[in-house]
Amino acid sequence: MTRFTNNLRRFGLPAIAAFTFVTASPAQAVDLPFSADCRQFSAIPVAAPNTGILFRKNPNSAATRAATATVFAITAAENIEIPTGGASCFFQVLGNDSYCFLARGSDQIVNLNAVAGNNHLGAPACQ
């Protein structure tokens, strides 16, 4: 018998519910590597109750906060800029699109982290 089946017999339905809760998270973080030709991109679906995407420059340092980073929304054909002065911004959007990390103001910005969610922390709006 496996550990899962042993726990299932011991705990029953709560074990299944806990397993489902842990494995089925609604929003997954995506790392967008720098890709000036947009050949490396990722789909980021945004559905209610989420209201947009939080983009974050990596690594977070004084040099990267002083530089801009540009994300390109492929289907919408729209540039999204993470401005200077901070490590992250919130882009309000609903729907499915693919995004690539198109331009950077500093070679020290290695990649961008992106996750669908809500702006509960009050990140500035992307430009």
Side-chain angles (χ1 to χ4, degrees):
M1 264 199 243
T2 67
R3 175 182 271 167
F4 178 76
T5 56
N6 284 339
N7 285 337
L8 183 58
R9 285 185 178 183
R10 196 161 107 196
F11 299 113
L13 188 57
I16 294 172
F19 180 77
T20 303
F21 177 75
V22 170
T23 58
S25 61
Q28 297 292 323
V30 173
D31 284 327
L32 299 173
F34 178 69
S35 180
D37 59 5
C38 235
R39 288 185 187 196
Q40 296 182 35
F41 58 89
S42 292
I44 305 174
V46 181
N50 296 322
T51 59
I53 302 170
L54 181 68
F55 290 103
R56 182 181 181 274
K57 302 173 200 171
N58 289 318
N60 180 3
S61 68
T64 60
R65 286 189 302 274
T68 60
T70 303
V71 176
F72 183 67
I74 295 171
T75 303
E78 177 180 10
N79 284 331
I80 304 157
E81 185 174 293
I82 305 171
T84 61
S88 61
C89 68
F90 188 77
F91 179 63
Q92 192 166 352
V93 65
L94 283 176
N96 298 327
D97 207 334
S98 292
Y99 299 85
C100 69
F101 174 20
L102 183 65
R104 57 188 173 182
S106 169
D107 289 342
Q108 292 185 25
I109 304 172
V110 177
N111 66 14
L112 300 177
N113 181 259
V115 64
N118 294 295
N119 195 10
H120 295 299
L121 299 177
C126 298
Q127 300 173 354

